[in-house]
Every structure is written in C-alpha cells, then in structure tokens.
Amino acid sequence: MILASTSLVLLAGAAPAFAQTDATTAAQDAAATAADTTAQEEDIVVTGLRRSLETSQRIKRESEGIVDAIVAEDIGKLPDTFASSALQRVPGVNVTRGGGESAGVTVRGLPNLTTTYNGRDIFTAEGRYVQIQDFPAGTVAALEVYKSGMANQIEGGIAGAVNVRGRKPFDFDGFELSGSLNYVHSEQAQREAPNGNLLISDRWNTGIGEMGLLVNASYVGIEFLDSTREQSLVIGTTDAVNAPGNAGLRFPDAQGNFLGYGKRWRPSVNAAFQWKPTPELEIYADGLFQGFRSEDYNRWMFIPIFGGMTLSNIEKIPGTNQISSMTVTNAVRPDGYAGSFNGHTDTYQGGGGLIWTRDRLRLSADVAYTQSEYHTSVMNVDYAMASSPVRNVVFDAAHDGGPTQTFVNFNINDPANYISRGLWQERLKVNGKDWQARTDLSYDLDLGFLKRIDVGLRYTNRKAGRDLGNLYINNEGARVPLTSLPGLDVRSTQPGFQFNNVQPNVFFATPTRDSIRDSITELRTFFGVPAGMPPYNPAENFRANEKTYTAYGQIKYGFDLGGTVVDGLVGLRAVKTKLNIDGFSRVEATGGAVTFPAISAESEYTDYLPNVSARIGLTDKLQARLAFTKTRTRPNFFDLRPNTSLGQPVILAPGDTCLDPANASSAVCVERLRRGGSAGNPDLKPLSSKNYDVSLEYYFSRTGSVTAAVFRHDAEGFLATVDDRSQAGLRIARPVNLGKTRLQGAEVTFTSFLDIDGLPEWMKGFGLQANGTYIDAKGDLQPNFAATLNNEQQPFPGVSKWSYNLVALYEKPQFSARLAYNYRSKFVNYYSLEALDPTAHAITERGRGQVDFSTSITPIPNITLAFDIVNVLGNPLQRDRAYNLDGDSFARQILYLERSYSLGVRFRF
C-alpha cells in the first residue's frame, strides 16, 4: 500500500522555460506510476521517503543530461529550513555556513550557477541570480542540479544550473490542503522563531475544460548568534626595544572578538493556475513573491598589539620562534563598534504561457516579468576604551585553538570605561527588473538515428541600478564618555561563545541595537550631521540596461549497436549580449573642488555554447554517459560599472606613531595613510568553462543505485579585486579577469534501502545514502599575488579536495529518523598579500564535519510531529593563515555557528 506523507511529493506538471525538460518528464512518470508499482510489490511498504528516492533515481536515470535531483519529500525529511541546506547532500555540492543558514552553493568546485524557478530566470535586485537559501523548503517541490548543460536550458552559470521547481495544481488528483508549523530554538542566541507554510490546491472539470488553482504561502524565520575569535593577518616581530632578550619572535599584531546577532525572516507566496481547454492545449499563469527581512546587531572589539608597547611574560610554542602567550603593556588602545543593520528585499515574478502538443509536435511559449528591490540601512556607534589596559594574550589557546585575552585591572563590562569614537551611517538601494520571453518547438523525427529536433528563441531586457550613500563623523579627540551620548543604553548584553569556555570575554559593554535606532535623531544632532540618512553619493551609483537575443538548435539521436542502445544530444546555443551602463566618477581638483562627471560604457558580444552527449545502455541496469559542454557567466553589473569613487580620508587615533612627522614618510605610515577607493571595470570578459564528463550508473532496485563519475572543467576569466597603488596616497580596488583554472575530479554515490528478500519487515525500513567527491583544483592568481609565487598556479579558493555525505535513515509508516553527516576537507578561503609582506599567503579553512538529526512520528493519519537538531556537534569553523614559505601559521578565525532545535507539526488532508 501507499501511505501519504505530510509533505507533497509530486513534481510540477509544466516546465515553462525548458523546451524539453527530461527530468520533469521522468518525475511525472515516476509519480504517476507509483501506485501501480506498489500494487505489484505488496511486500514493501512505500512511504514518502522511499517514493521520493525512487523519483529522484528515475530522474537521474532517464535524464538526457547529467542531473541530480531532490524532490519535496526529501527536503521535508531533512532537518533543513532552507533549500540550500538540502542541496549539500548532493554529490559534488558544497555550501558555506554562517548567519544561521547555508549559503554560497558550489557545484564541483565552481561557484557560478544559474538559478531558475520553474525554468525561468530569476534574480535578486541587481544580481545575476537568487540565493538558493531564499527558497523556504516548504514551498519547493524539487531541486534539480544540472551538472551538464543542454542547448534548451537558460545559459548563465559555468557551474551548471539549479532549477527550483514549485508546485502546480495539476500535480494533485483534486483538493489538497497541507502545511506545517514549527518553532526553531537557537542555542547561542537563546531565542525562538516561528516557521510555517500552508498550501491549498484544487482542480475542476468545467464546460470549457479542466482548471486548477494553487496558492502556497510560507514564513521562515530564524534568530541566530555567531561568535568569532580572530587575530590579525599581519604578523609582528619582537625586537630589542619591545621585548629585550626575546628579539625575532613572531606574533599576530592584533586580536578581535565579533558577536553577530541576527533576526531574519522570509515571507513567500506563490500561486499557479492551469487550464486545459482541450487534451492538446494547456494554458497556465503563475506568480511568486519572495521577501527577505533582517535586523542584525553586530558587536566588534579590536585589540591592537602594536604601538609603543612593552612585551613580557613571553612563552613560546615549543620548537618554534612563535609566541604562545605574553603580557602586553602600553599598546594602542582597543576600539570597536556596535552596529545596527537592517535589510529588506521584495522580489516579484509573474508570467504565463501555453503548451500545445499534437502527434509528434510540441510547441510552447512563455513570457514573464521580474522585479526586485533591496534596501539596507546601517547605523553604527564607534567606541574606544578610555585607556590602554594591560592584557594577557594567548595566540593558540587549548581545545579549539586561536586567540583569547584577559584585561588586567580593567572591567570591559563597565560602560564608564569607554569613550565615543564616531558615528557611521549608510544606506543602499539596489534594484533590477526584466522582461523575458521565449518560444520553443520540439518535433519527434522518424529519420533513422535522428529521433528529435529542438529549436527555440529567447529575448530578455534587463535593467539594474544601485545607489549608495554613507557618512562618518569621528569625535575621538574630544574624549566624550560613551555614556554621555544622548539616548544610548550602554551595557553588557547576551554573551556569545556558548559552546566552549575557552574565551573569557564572552560579552562586553556596548550600545544596544534598539537604543541606537531609537535615538538616531538625537545622535545626528550631537555629532553635527544633517538630519535623515546620508544622501546618495553619485560616484557610487550606476544604471545598466542589458539585452540578450538567443537562438538554439538541438538534435536527439539514437541507434542500436549490436544490442547496445546509444542515444544523446548534439546542440548549439548562440547568445548575443548588448550592455549599456551609466555612472559617475569622482574627480578631485587641486584645491579640493570635487565634481562628478557622467561616464558611460557599452559592450556587445556573442557566445556560442555547444553541447554533445551520449548515453550508452550497457545492460538493463547499467548505463554509461559521456558529455562535453561549454558554459559561461557574465560579470555582475557592479563589477562592470565605469565609476571610480573614494572613501573618506584616513583618521588616526591620538598618539598614533604615524602622526609623528619623523615617521610620516616611512613605508608603514605611507601605506596606512593611503585613502581607499573602488572602481569598476567595464572591460571585464565573461567567465567561460569547457566541461568534460564521464559517468557509469548501475541501478539495482527501485531505490538502489551505485554511480560513479569523473569530470574536468577548464575555466578562464574568474574575477579578483586588485589594489591599485599607482596614484600617490590612494589605494583603488578594481576587479580584473584572471587566467586559467583547472578543476578535475571524481564522485561516487550509493543509495539503497534494505529491500532484500528474506529480511524481516522491520529491517526493510533501514536505508543508507552515501556519496563522496574528490576535486583537484588549481588556477592562476591575480598578477601581483602570482608574481610572489613564481607565477605558478595555486589551489583554487573555496574548493575542498574531499567532501562526502553519510546519511543513515529508518522509515516506517508511523516513524522515521535520519542522521546526516556532511564533511568537507580543508580548503583555501582566500589569498592575502599585505602591503609590506612580500609573499601571498592562503587563509585556509580546516576540514569540518557537521551532524544533523531529524525524526518524526505519525500518531494519526495525515498528522506528523517532527523534531530536528541542526549542528549537533556545535564544532566551530577554524581558519588559519600561513605567513611564510615554511608554512608557519597562526589561527586566523574561530567561528562558532548556531546549534538549533526545531519542534513542529505537519499535516495533509
């Protein structure tokens, strides 16, 4: 028998923007035949999870490309609030973690993905794509990860594409009502947030055909606290003055503590209408709203270990010239800020189209409009300690490593020990909108080995804009007590570092978030700045208009070679891009007069993206695949802007050694006094990649398979930001294209339940999912970095050599449980080159595993109680930075992520 689960399994019925989405067809077939299959195999109880694994397996097996899919039941069973967290279970997919969620999805090491929703291009504000975590798991029917492209897919991601599939009314037999409600408790933040979704769908036979309407609403909230201990990338050296008798020892020249509190929530609503006036014609319309809201409170303490200091009680790390701990006296005083950040995004997409089929012909057309706008406002109060306390510092603490510090005879929780340093305000508005239209034709041929032809056209008209304004006022010289600022509530608030007792400074006195916001009018008056948020700075603003014209053609072939069935695709997608982007530069004339002359840039280019693939049926259970594709990604509009803008002049603290005229011309002070700025680069080229894939797939049961693949990406044109110091007193950051990057590797996957004849029925509820990926990735660094490393290619940032998932699961009609372990080995986070450091060095994130647990019981039909734990181990992210060619290093950051608990109920009627 089939037992309905509380989450919905079926995939969407129509694929608006893919001419022929074979994964969709496979999913529909799997769902439609689930009952028949089960009736033939009464000895196996098919629950929602089994059915979802079966559907996912069939999608992968029957796809014309290389695809991995997670259907809705799989997402619902994971302890995942966001779709991005579910994606980390897919072989070759990695995510970054922070802020209470998973983000930064990469596929086989590549970070540039196309994100589509129901096959349509979708984006946030001026960006190129939507973050996968913006899709609440409760609104998603399926996630399809395309690792090899096809000509009829929207181009845009060198890593491939992730299609997020929403639900449609024709997915269901009739009336459907389902939903969930749960609370998420975050352990570090010690706060709770509600989550829920509700779906209503129905379909009717009318006098003008069958119609269906679906509405799905979701609310996802999370409150979090990330706690970070960190130390400087700059490595100091003791000398005979600051450490008599201990010259030549190395140590990081600053430490810091960061507590990032956040309240984030995402409302989402989607609706879909389907109408079949005849069996051959379907007309549809759908709409989506996605919102993002954030209220963050950031607290930062910077603790210098430089200046006219004296070092004592020095302990070394045995066998090295590195300092383990010491006492610091008379260093530059610590400072920091209390930050209030608000973010707000609204994204809308609406569209419609038709699908007409007759005999061998399938014709579809679709048009859609997307609009997205993102606003932020930042209000920070900067502080400094009223004096420079003596501190005992540790650079490599026991247990989790990294920095700690204690202050001698100085209470960091006493508001009277702080003075005001300044007021920072910033506001940002970015927006984007586009019209997209396409038409696709598919015709089944009867020409021997030529099986089908696909052709299509697509047009987009995209607009994007950005406005930024900020203002900073420094009043440290007046030495105003922090408690004297009007309206501020200065006190110690909730501590961080809940998972360990390494750091003694778990909280410190700062202005509260609410008091900064509530008293901002009085603070502006106190600091002597204009009322209201800062005006937009012309040099930071741009407007872009991009139009694309696309045509594609693709042939499906197939033949029988001595009993071996071979089929595949050969296609070409041609895309012409026209871009116009307008902005302003900042020109500062002699005497200080500033003007903002208008500046524009135009570009036009055509990409030709071929694809060739073959699927070889070796037996009825074993098949092989071969594929070659070329993919590309356009640079972001922000990187393409023609603007140049300057930051505010550097303000040094009283007593800083660079204020002494005798030191002003030193290399250190010249560098510190450089005025920062940024610029775009309208001459950037698109990123491109040639991709080669070979795989072998063995399917031994309805939910059991073993697959293996090898792959290679030859990429070119990744972006890096270079600091241009060619102008005296300035440091302008601008993006440039890098050279070549090669990523090659292999992945293997095993999935199965214990569907073995002769086993007791209770044992057949056990299942295992396991996958592992190996990637060797090296690429060219930016020229000034590469020159310090003999211009040799280096490990590519963000790519772990090894990653794997182990998921143990058990499911029976009234009970299910899942224990999931995700691991990725160490990887380069980024490279750094300090102005006075002659060699580029990598900031490396250590290997880390995370355990998530979920369980559910169904006491009565259609009602399920669920309990989840995310980040069971609570182990931190740990980053190190080597500072010489011998590989000597200090911990850079120790970041403690949230551990969260969720308890809720799901229902379906």
Side-chain angles (χ1 to χ4, degrees):
M1 62 178 179
I2 297 178
L3 298 176
S5 182
T6 56
S7 296
L8 306 180
V9 175
L10 306 184
L11 297 184
F18 290 162
Q20 285 285 335
T21 305
D22 50 280
T24 304
T25 304
Q28 291 170 331
D29 292 345
T33 60
D36 294 339
T37 304
T38 308
Q40 298 168 9
E41 302 185 34
E42 287 291 340
D43 58 322
I44 298 176
V45 177
V46 180
T47 60
L49 182 55
R50 281 182 182 272
R51 192 165 61 229
S52 72
L53 292 177
E54 181 179 351
T55 304
S56 298
Q57 179 168 297
R58 187 164 181 175
I59 290 172
K60 182 180 180 71
R61 185 175 187 175
E62 299 186 0
S63 170
E64 293 175 340
I66 298 176
V67 179
D68 282 293
I70 302 175
V71 300
E73 183 58 38
D74 202 6
I75 297 171
K77 285 288 183 180
L78 288 173
D80 299 319
T81 304
F82 306 102
S84 57
S85 298
L87 273 182
Q88 69 184 321
R89 318 296 179 192
V90 173
V93 176
N94 279 314
V95 300
T96 57
R97 304 179 194 274
E101 59 192 31
S102 302
V105 176
T106 63
V107 176
R108 290 176 170 175
L110 292 174
N112 303 89
L113 288 163
T114 300
T115 307
T116 56
Y117 179 71
N118 285 337
R120 291 196 191 108
D121 193 15
I122 189 169
F123 52 84
T124 298
E126 94 287 22
R128 291 289 187 185
Y129 56 91
V130 168
Q131 296 283 355
I132 301 297
Q133 67 267 26
D134 285 345
F135 292 97
T139 67
V140 173
L143 297 170
E144 300 161 349
V145 181
Y146 288 83
K147 297 178 179 178
S148 68
M150 295 176 282
N152 55 353
Q153 288 180 289
I154 296 175
E155 77 292 339
I158 64 171
V162 176
N163 183 48
V164 181
R165 190 169 300 284
R167 299 177 173 94
K168 301 291 182 68
F170 284 1
D171 295 346
F172 313 109
D173 292 333
F175 179 76
E176 292 286 336
L177 173 66
S178 70
S180 66
L181 178 65
N182 68 294
Y183 266 80
V184 177
H185 171 78
S186 299
E187 185 172 341
Q188 284 202 114
Q190 288 296 300
R191 294 181 181 275
E192 292 75 37
N195 288 262
N197 72 280
L198 181 67
L199 179 145
I200 303 175
S201 179
D202 205 355
R203 56 195 295 178
W204 312 270
N205 285 310
T206 71
I208 55 173
E210 187 176 15
M211 295 183 180
L213 179 65
L214 175 148
V215 178
N216 191 7
S218 174
Y219 176 92
V220 173
I222 189 168
E223 297 214 26
F224 67 90
L225 167 56
D226 288 345
S227 309
T228 306
R229 301 182 283 120
E230 61 183 71
Q231 45 199 10
S232 174
L233 294 173
V234 179
I235 306 301
T237 305
T238 58
D239 55 41
V241 176
N242 61 33
N246 286 287
L249 303 182
R250 308 304 303 273
F251 62 94
D253 77 347
Q255 296 183 334
N257 296 317
F258 179 79
L259 302 179
Y261 308 81
K263 176 183 178 182
R264 297 178 182 174
W265 64 103
R266 290 175 168 91
S268 176
V269 179
N270 67 284
F273 170 76
Q274 290 176 286
W275 174 31
K276 294 196 75 171
T278 71
E280 298 173 330
L281 177 64
E282 178 184 329
I283 299 171
Y284 60 86
D286 53 67
L288 170 70
F289 162 74
Q290 281 188 331
F292 170 78
R293 313 287 186 261
S294 70
E295 295 179 356
D296 289 4
Y297 175 32
N298 299 319
R299 305 170 65 208
W300 164 246
M301 176 183 287
F302 177 70
I303 307 162
I305 311 176
F306 55 78
M309 61 188 180
T310 301
L311 309 178
S312 59
N313 300 323
I314 294 174
E315 297 288 340
K316 294 195 299 180
I317 298 175
T320 74
N321 70 338
Q322 298 174 296
I323 297 177
S324 172
S325 64
M326 64 184 181
T327 300
V328 181
T329 306
N330 292 326
V332 173
R333 87 285 174 271
D335 60 34
Y337 69 85
S340 166
F341 173 94
N342 283 2
H344 183 113
T345 303
D346 287 325
T347 300
Y348 303 89
Q349 184 173 84
L354 59 85
I355 303 171
W356 183 71
T357 57
R358 173 170 292 179
D359 298 328
R360 301 179 182 178
L361 179 66
R362 184 181 190 273
L363 178 67
S364 65
D366 185 85
V367 63
Y369 175 76
T370 308
Q371 179 174 315
S372 182
E373 189 162 293
Y374 175 57
H375 297 262
T376 69
S377 68
V378 182
M379 301 171 188
N380 291 356
V381 172
D382 289 2
Y383 68 85
M385 291 187 180
S387 62
S388 178
V390 176
R391 49 252 198 202
N392 296 317
V393 299
V394 176
F395 299 109
D396 189 20
H399 187 54
D400 291 333
T404 68
Q405 62 288 141
T406 55
F407 296 93
V408 179
N409 298 323
F410 189 93
N411 184 0
I412 62 173
N413 292 300
D414 184 353
N417 282 331
Y418 297 90
I419 63 172
S420 169
R421 194 164 60 95
L423 176 68
W424 168 264
Q425 299 178 86
E426 180 176 280
R427 64 168 172 164
L428 170 69
K429 180 178 75 173
V430 290
N431 59 81
K433 56 185 177 181
D434 88 335
W435 282 99
Q436 53 185 296
R438 60 89 193 158
T439 183
D440 304 283
L441 182 148
S442 179
Y443 187 76
D444 291 335
L445 302 171
D446 187 15
L447 298 174
F449 73 95
L450 297 179
K451 304 301 183 183
R452 191 184 74 232
I453 183 172
D454 304 324
V455 295
L457 301 171
R458 185 170 183 267
Y459 168 77
T460 68
N461 186 347
R462 174 77 190 278
K463 295 183 179 180
R466 177 181 187 267
D467 298 284
L468 175 71
N470 50 48
L471 178 65
Y472 181 61
I473 298 296
N474 182 285
N475 73 334
E476 183 173 358
R479 295 193 60 83
V480 176
L482 192 59
T483 54
S484 296
L485 269 60
L488 287 189
D489 178 10
V490 184
R491 57 187 170 92
S492 294
T493 55
Q494 181 183 340
F497 306 104
Q498 296 280 356
F499 301 150
N500 74 104
N501 56 6
V502 176
Q503 174 61 280
N505 300 319
V506 296
F507 54 88
F508 47 92
T510 53
T512 64
R513 171 194 159 83
D514 289 345
S515 70
I516 295 173
R517 288 270 164 181
D518 294 343
S519 61
I520 189 63
T521 300
E522 292 80 5
L523 288 171
R524 288 169 179 150
T525 301
F526 179 85
F527 280 93
V529 299
M533 293 297 288
Y536 292 126
N537 178 1
E540 299 284 356
N541 307 340
F542 68 82
R543 299 292 183 271
N545 183 209
E546 181 180 84
K547 297 179 181 179
T548 65
Y549 309 84
T550 304
Y552 75 85
Q554 181 170 262
I555 291 288
K556 180 175 181 179
Y557 66 89
F559 55 88
D560 190 327
L561 186 64
T564 299
V565 177
V566 180
D567 64 7
L569 300 172
V570 178
L572 178 67
R573 188 174 184 92
V575 186
K576 184 175 184 177
T577 303
K578 291 184 175 182
L579 173 66
N580 177 271
I581 188 164
D582 301 316
F584 299 90
S585 280
R586 186 185 191 280
V587 176
E588 188 169 346
T590 303
V594 178
T595 58
F596 299 94
I599 185 170
S600 297
E602 295 182 353
S603 63
E604 181 176 324
Y605 54 90
T606 302
D607 294 296
Y608 298 96
L609 307 175
N611 66 288
V612 181
S613 65
R615 180 175 55 177
I616 306 166
L618 301 173
T619 70
D620 60 339
K621 295 182 178 181
L622 180 65
Q623 65 182 23
R625 295 181 187 270
L626 306 170
F628 166 77
T629 59
K630 183 178 179 181
T631 51
R632 72 101 175 90
T633 299
R634 302 181 184 95
N636 289 321
F637 294 113
F638 178 76
D639 293 321
L640 290 165
R641 73 195 191 283
N643 312 38
T644 298
S645 60
L646 294 178
Q648 295 195 0
V650 176
I651 300 174
L652 298 177
D656 194 292
T657 55
C658 289
L659 293 175
D660 185 343
N663 299 326
S665 59
S666 69
V668 172
C669 292
V670 167
E671 178 59 29
R672 289 183 61 202
L673 288 168
R674 283 187 182 273
R675 187 175 180 180
S678 63
N681 184 354
D683 296 324
L684 292 174
K685 305 300 181 184
L687 293 69
S688 63
S689 179
K690 295 179 180 178
N691 314 299
Y692 309 86
D693 297 273
V694 179
S695 67
L696 192 64
E697 304 165 4
Y698 178 65
Y699 300 95
F700 54 83
S701 72
R702 291 185 299 117
T703 59
S705 63
V706 179
T707 66
V710 294
F711 54 86
R712 175 166 174 151
H713 303 291
D714 290 328
E716 186 173 5
F718 280 104
L719 301 186
T721 300
V722 177
D723 278 345
D724 181 358
R725 291 175 167 84
S726 60
Q727 300 181 58
L730 297 179
R731 184 182 68 252
I732 306 299
R734 70 178 78 246
V736 297
N737 285 111
L738 300 182
K740 299 181 182 298
T741 300
R742 183 214 66 218
L743 302 97
Q744 57 188 11
E747 61 189 31
V748 61
T749 303
F750 173 84
T751 300
S752 182
F753 273 88
L754 293 183
D755 297 335
I756 302 174
D757 292 339
L759 285 180
E761 186 63 31
W762 65 269
M763 291 189 65
K764 294 180 180 180
F766 286 102
L768 175 68
Q769 295 175 280
N771 61 67
T773 303
Y774 168 82
I775 301 177
D776 176 33
K778 290 187 177 180
D780 293 336
L781 299 184
Q782 62 192 64
N784 59 325
F785 284 20
T788 72
L789 297 169
N790 300 319
N791 292 310
E792 297 176 354
Q793 290 193 328
Q794 301 298 316
F796 187 68
V799 182
S800 295
K801 182 165 287 188
W802 298 97
S803 61
Y804 60 85
N805 290 278
L806 294 174
V807 183
L809 48 93
Y810 184 82
E811 184 160 77
K812 282 298 180 180
Q814 283 77 38
F815 174 78
S816 71
R818 172 178 292 203
L819 187 67
Y821 180 74
N822 172 264
Y823 176 82
R824 61 182 302 187
S825 65
K826 70 176 183 179
F827 62 93
V828 173
N829 201 269
Y830 62 95
Y831 291 90
S832 72
L833 177 65
E834 300 303 314
L836 304 179
D837 185 344
T839 306
H841 299 291
I843 285 76
T844 303
E845 187 166 312
R846 301 181 195 177
R848 178 181 181 272
Q850 177 163 312
V851 174
D852 301 326
F853 172 76
S854 65
T855 186
S856 64
I857 59 173
T858 305
I860 59 175
N862 302 324
I863 300 293
T864 295
L865 303 177
F867 174 68
D868 306 326
I869 308 176
V870 176
N871 192 19
V872 173
L873 302 178
N875 50 326
L877 295 178
Q878 298 172 285
R879 298 177 180 131
D880 302 305
R881 194 253 189 175
Y883 59 86
N884 60 29
L885 296 179
D886 294 329
D888 293 333
S889 67
F890 281 102
R892 164 62 177 157
Q893 291 176 318
I894 312 294
L895 170 59
Y896 296 88
L897 304 173
E898 269 295 1
R899 179 192 287 137
S900 62
Y901 307 83
S902 172
L903 179 63
V905 58
R906 301 193 296 261
F907 60 89
R908 181 183 182 187
F909 299 101

